[in-house]
Amino acid sequence: GFALTMKPEGFGPSDHSSFYAKQIPVLHFFTGNHSDYHRPGDDWEKINITGMQRVADMMERIVVDVAKN
């Protein structure tokens, strides 16, 4: 039930870009924007807790699957 956007270039507005620039494979998970994103009003109350939990659960499944192979 995720809306995925796959970008083959690997660059984006986050910390993962520096890894990708050094040819280290990356996965970037993001729970979406809101009107105050990266602005002074972007405070903890706007954290998407439900989205973070869903992403963390999916990441756990990915890590376990990769570790098994």
Side-chain angles (χ1 to χ4, degrees), residues 12-56:
S14 194
D15 299 337
H16 71 283
S17 290
S18 59
F19 292 95
Y20 185 77
K22 293 183 183 269
Q23 299 182 336
I24 299 170
V26 298
L27 289 174
H28 176 73
F29 297 92
F30 184 63
T31 60
N33 282 321
H34 53 75
S35 61
D36 287 329
Y37 187 69
H38 281 186
R39 298 183 186 276
D42 191 0
D43 210 344
W44 69 269
E45 297 96 348
K46 296 185 177 102
I47 294 174
N48 181 349
I49 301 295
T50 302
M52 287 177 62
Q53 183 63 55
R54 291 182 65 220
V55 168

Side-chain angles (χ1 to χ4, degrees), residues 2 4 29 53-63:
F2 286 94
L4 301 179
F29 297 92
Q53 183 63 55
R54 291 182 65 220
V55 168
D57 290 344
M58 182 176 68
M59 290 175 63
E60 179 183 11
R61 289 191 306 270
I62 289 170
V63 168

